[in-house]
């Protein structure tokens, strides 16, 4: 078995809030091998996005470290590409200009970067829309533009934080299928942060279940569904069985999250 | 049971004469066409002008108080030919351009500084807002004492209001940039300079341009106002002069011309914004 390309070792993070210190992550460790698709799933407020920000170098950890090919990294790293949950395309740039953005920043000439960007525009199925502005596209198309932009920088590790969270279920499944196709074509190592069970099972080789606060990896579930995989896989018995297994672990954590949320809501205003 | 009658066919919508509306139905021109709002605006303006013309012609409004629109239009030509309207326009525009250039040179960096230092930004935002809403033209006696009856006085009055609008909107423009876009830049390892030029500035541009547009118009209005008050300079001075001579059509002509110049400047700035940031 190959050595992991990405290692997260005992990463911890605390936040100081008006009501006290919140331990968001405690001793969280993850390993991802080259070409592997790993999903991290957990209830709301378990520190998934904090973990995403720490791995991507947008936030610092209070303990532990992140290593790429065995070397510790600090800050954003060219081998890690990030796709965000929120709308992140640049509205003043066309699709192809958005996708070519990392090449422009790297100083590549206009013609060369547009040629290269067009390859990724085609890869995500947006050819014919390359001269359109994000405002002229659907939410799914905008998210594909953001994905193409990240892939255009050719990162060795693709880090995605609930990229389809704002989309409807059907679009989400179809885009999931597209993502599998792309990752298989590029042999792309991917770490997906999600709270959606079906999405995690549909896309991944392994699903890491996180506990509620403080977040840590509670269980790893290997997904042994055939590849190449399409959205049809959701009709299989094994898919349902994986969902059941993961939900068994997740249910207790989600209940804790819900209880914490309700307690916070019950607290008198101003406290 | 009675059989249902087929509905009467609707009569076709009225059509404009071919020479005017290219044979299109009136409803299409005034509702569906892209320039429909402008057409509605022009139609309302024409109606108001016609009503005013009738009121003045029939003596319901004294000619000394309000000039008939047709006389006002004729007066604009007279002002241009005999009273140095174009020279006055040149003087006002040059003063305004200098004032707005100085206001932008100071206001853009000031707005950015307030954004980069959120504590100061929050502290001074309300001050700037209050200044923006205040009738700053009233401080003209102080400026008159400082600079005398010169272009420096009119220009300075334009600069002050322009600066406040530009600094305020620049700060708001940068503050309104989506944090996700900034995070995208950080994920791509952008330098601070690249982050400014490639993300912050284009993302904040619509509001920054609003500040520039408002700053320009406020500066122009203030400059003309002070020119009027101190009897010096360009278009404001011309309005004051025609007023003093009881030349009512001339005065209204000059005022209409000022409105046209302001509208023209707004249109130019909007075109510039669209050219710089098409979406």
């Amino acid at each position: 078995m190959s050595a992991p390309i990405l290692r997260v070792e005992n990463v911890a993070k605390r936040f100081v809030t008006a009501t006290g210190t919140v331990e968001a992550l405690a001793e969280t460790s993850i390993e991802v091998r080259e070409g592997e698709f790993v999903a991290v799933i957990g209830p709301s407020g378990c520190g998934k996005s904090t973990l995403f920000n720490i791995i991507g170098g947008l936030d610092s950890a209070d303990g532990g470290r992140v290593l790429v090919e065995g070397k510790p990294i600090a800050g954003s790293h060219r081998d890690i590409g990030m796709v965000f949950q929120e709308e992140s395309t640049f509205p003043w740039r066309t699709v192809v200009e958005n996708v070519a953005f990392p090449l422009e920043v790297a100083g590549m000439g206009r013609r060369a970067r547009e040629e290269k960007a067009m390859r990724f525009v085609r890869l995500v199925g947006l050819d014919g829309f390359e001269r359109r502005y994000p405002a002229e596209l659907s939410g799914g198309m905008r998210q594909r533009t953001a994905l193409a932009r990240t892939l255009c920088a050719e990162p060795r590790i693709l880090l995605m934080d609930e990229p389809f969270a704002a989309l409807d279920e059907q679009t989400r499944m179809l885009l999931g299928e597209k993502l599998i196709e792309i990752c298989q074509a590029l042999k792309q190592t991917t770490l997906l942060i999600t709270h959606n069970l079906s999405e995690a099972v549909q896309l991944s080789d392994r699903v890491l279940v996180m506990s509620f606060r403080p977040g840590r990896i509670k269980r790893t579930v290997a997904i042994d569904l055939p590849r190449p995989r399409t959205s049809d896989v959701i009709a299989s018995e094994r898919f349902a069985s994986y969902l059941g297994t993961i939900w068994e672990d997740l249910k207790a954590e989600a209940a804790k999250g819900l209880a914490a949320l309700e307690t916070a809501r019950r607290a008198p205003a101003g406290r | 049971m009675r059989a249902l009658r087929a509905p009467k066919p609707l009569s076709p919508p009225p059509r404009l004469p071919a020479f005017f509306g290219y044979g299109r139905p009136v409803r299409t021109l005034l509702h569906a066409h892209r320039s429909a709002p402008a057409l509605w605006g022009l139609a309302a303006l024409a109606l108001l002008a016609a009503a005013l013309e009738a009121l003045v012609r029939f003596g319901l409004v004294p000619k000394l108080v309000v000039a008939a629109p047709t006389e006002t239009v004729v007066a604009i030509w007279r002002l241009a030919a005999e009273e140095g309207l174009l020279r006055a326009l040149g003087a006002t525009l040059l003063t305004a351009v200098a004032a707005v250039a100085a206001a932008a040179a100071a206001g853009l960096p000031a707005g950015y500084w307030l954004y980069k230092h959120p504590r100061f930004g929050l502290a001074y935002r309300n001050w700037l807002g209050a200044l923006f809403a205040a009738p700053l033209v009233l401080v003209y006696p102080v400026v008159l004492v400082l600079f005398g009856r010169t272009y420096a006085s009119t220009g300075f009055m334009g600069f002050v209001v322009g600066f406040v609008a530009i600094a305020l909107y620049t700060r708001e423009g940068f503050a309104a940039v989506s944090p996700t876009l900034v995070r995208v830049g950080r994920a791509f390892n952008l330098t601070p300079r690249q982050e400014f030029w490639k993300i912050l500035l284009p993302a904040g541009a619509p509001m920054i341009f609003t500040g520039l547009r408002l700053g320009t118009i406020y500066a122009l209005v203030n400059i003309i106002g002070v020119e009027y008050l101190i009897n010096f300079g360009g278009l404001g001075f011309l309005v004051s002069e025609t007023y003093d001579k009881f030349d009512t059509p001339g005065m209204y002509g000059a005022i209409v011309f000022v409105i046209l110049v302001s509208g023209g400047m707004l249109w130019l700035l909007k075109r510039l914004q669209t050219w710089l940031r098409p979406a």
Side-chain angles (χ1 to χ4, degrees):
Chain A
M1 194 176 272
S2 62
I5 184 171
L6 173 72
R7 263 168 57 200
V8 177
E9 283 183 357
N10 303 320
V11 162
K13 181 75 183 175
R14 285 180 297 279
F15 290 107
V16 180
T17 67
T19 50
T21 304
V22 174
E23 201 174 356
L25 288 173
E27 309 275 306
T28 303
S29 297
I30 295 172
E31 282 188 359
V32 183
R33 287 183 177 74
E34 188 125 36
E36 202 178 16
F37 198 121
V38 176
V40 176
I41 193 165
S44 297
C46 75
K48 297 188 297 285
S49 293
T50 306
L51 183 64
F52 170 84
N53 285 335
I54 291 171
I55 298 173
L58 301 183
D59 204 349
S60 58
D62 293 325
R65 55 187 190 158
V66 178
L67 301 100
V68 173
E69 290 207 306
K71 289 178 191 150
I73 59 163
S76 50
H77 193 275
R78 66 172 308 280
D79 282 340
I80 298 178
M82 301 172 84
V83 179
F84 297 87
Q85 177 184 355
E86 305 87 4
E87 173 61 54
S88 70
T89 50
F90 300 127
W92 60 91
R93 287 170 173 260
T94 59
V95 167
V96 71
E97 286 166 352
N98 259 289
V99 176
F101 180 75
L103 308 176
E104 184 185 321
V105 168
M108 189 185 273
R110 188 185 193 89
R111 203 186 170 122
R113 69 175 183 251
E114 289 214 349
E115 264 175 32
K116 187 174 174 186
M118 272 310 294
R119 270 177 27 217
F120 288 91
V121 169
R122 280 191 287 273
L123 186 72
V124 297
L126 284 177
D127 34 332
F129 294 93
E130 61 271 14
R131 299 289 164 201
R132 299 281 183 92
Y133 286 96
E136 299 170 294
L137 307 176
S138 68
M141 291 161 101
R142 285 202 288 269
Q143 215 41 328
R144 275 189 279 165
T145 306
L147 174 64
R149 180 180 61 194
T150 304
L151 290 173
C152 195
E154 296 182 297
R156 298 192 58 197
I157 303 153
L158 178 64
L159 191 57
M160 306 175 91
D161 183 16
E162 307 196 31
F164 309 136
L167 307 176
D168 65 85
E169 187 61 25
Q170 291 160 29
T171 310
R172 185 201 291 253
M173 290 221 289
L174 291 173
L175 283 191
E177 205 171 282
K178 188 81 194 163
L179 181 63
I180 295 174
E181 197 184 303
I182 292 166
C183 288
Q184 279 171 356
L186 299 176
K187 296 187 172 54
Q188 182 69 55
T189 310
T190 308
L191 182 65
L192 171 76
I193 309 279
T194 183
H195 65 259
N196 188 301
L197 266 83
S198 320
E199 190 174 271
V201 177
Q202 183 197 346
L203 303 174
S204 314
D205 298 313
R206 277 191 297 139
V207 176
L208 312 179
V209 183
M210 276 183 87
S211 64
F212 184 66
R213 219 174 283 155
R216 55 164 64 91
I217 304 302
K218 187 180 175 186
R219 183 174 174 176
T220 302
V221 180
I223 308 294
D224 188 20
L225 290 170
R227 285 197 189 269
R229 219 178 273 173
T230 66
S231 55
D232 296 343
V233 77
I234 65 162
S236 71
E237 264 181 45
R238 281 168 73 197
F239 186 88
S241 153
Y242 281 124
L243 285 189
T245 309
I246 295 169
W247 178 236
E248 209 172 282
D249 277 319
L250 203 55
K251 192 175 175 181
E253 302 304 325
K256 279 186 217 167
L258 194 64
L261 185 71
E262 284 176 359
T263 309
R265 289 265 161 91
R266 272 200 203 103
R271 278 188 62 196
Chain B
M1 197 174 162
R2 283 197 309 180
L4 284 173
R5 268 193 214 161
K8 266 187 179 176
L10 292 171
S11 52
R15 284 175 179 275
L16 287 176
F19 63 87
F20 179 71
Y22 310 102
R24 288 183 187 173
V26 179
R27 208 187 301 174
T28 310
L29 263 177
L30 287 183
H31 292 271
H33 198 271
R34 206 173 53 169
S35 55
L39 285 172
W40 275 110
L42 284 174
L45 199 65
L47 203 68
L48 277 172
L52 191 62
E53 184 80 27
L55 287 171
V56 176
R57 294 269 171 211
F58 290 114
L60 295 168
V61 173
K63 272 188 174 179
L64 193 65
V65 179
V66 179
T70 47
E71 286 177 9
T72 303
V73 173
V74 172
I76 293 177
W77 292 113
R78 176 170 52 79
L79 290 175
E82 298 165 17
E83 314 257 352
L85 178 70
L86 296 179
R87 185 204 55 78
L89 170 70
T92 299
L93 279 187
L94 272 179
T95 314
V97 166
V100 172
L108 292 171
Y112 182 65
W113 186 84
L114 289 172
Y115 158 73
K116 286 301 274 184
H117 300 86
R119 209 175 283 180
F120 292 102
L122 285 174
Y124 296 126
R125 186 178 63 171
N126 292 342
W127 287 25
L128 282 173
L131 275 175
F132 183 58
L136 288 175
V137 70
L138 296 180
V139 300
Y140 85 92
V142 180
V143 177
L144 210 54
V145 170
L146 287 173
F147 299 110
R149 219 167 133 260
T150 61
Y151 284 110
S153 280
T154 52
F156 186 77
M157 288 303 296
F159 165 78
V160 172
V161 286
F163 169 79
V164 172
I166 292 169
L168 184 68
Y169 275 82
T170 301
R171 189 247 164 215
E172 297 295 319
F174 285 128
V177 174
S178 158
T180 307
L181 298 187
V182 178
R183 288 168 74 214
V184 169
R186 301 219 169 121
F188 284 121
N189 236 337
L190 261 60
T191 61
R193 182 186 283 259
Q194 285 174 323
E195 184 180 295
F196 177 80
W197 287 106
K198 299 215 176 273
I199 294 180
L200 285 176
L201 194 61
M207 205 174 271
I208 295 170
F209 259 96
T210 303
L212 282 170
R213 279 210 303 273
L214 286 175
T216 303
I217 293 308
Y218 276 39
L220 191 65
V221 167
N222 248 27
I223 287 168
I224 293 170
V226 176
E227 283 175 348
Y228 178 85
L229 288 169
I230 67 174
N231 272 322
F232 176 83
L235 291 172
F237 173 59
L238 193 63
V239 174
S240 159
E241 209 177 39
T242 47
Y243 172 78
D244 289 341
K245 287 196 288 188
F246 291 95
D247 176 6
T248 311
M251 185 189 75
Y252 279 101
I255 291 171
V256 167
F257 193 71
V258 166
I259 294 169
L260 290 176
V261 169
S262 304
M265 283 189 87
L266 269 179
W267 180 81
L268 265 178
L269 282 165
K270 185 76 190 157
R271 295 287 298 179
L272 181 66
Q273 180 182 353
T274 314
W275 179 66
L276 284 173
R277 215 199 105 158

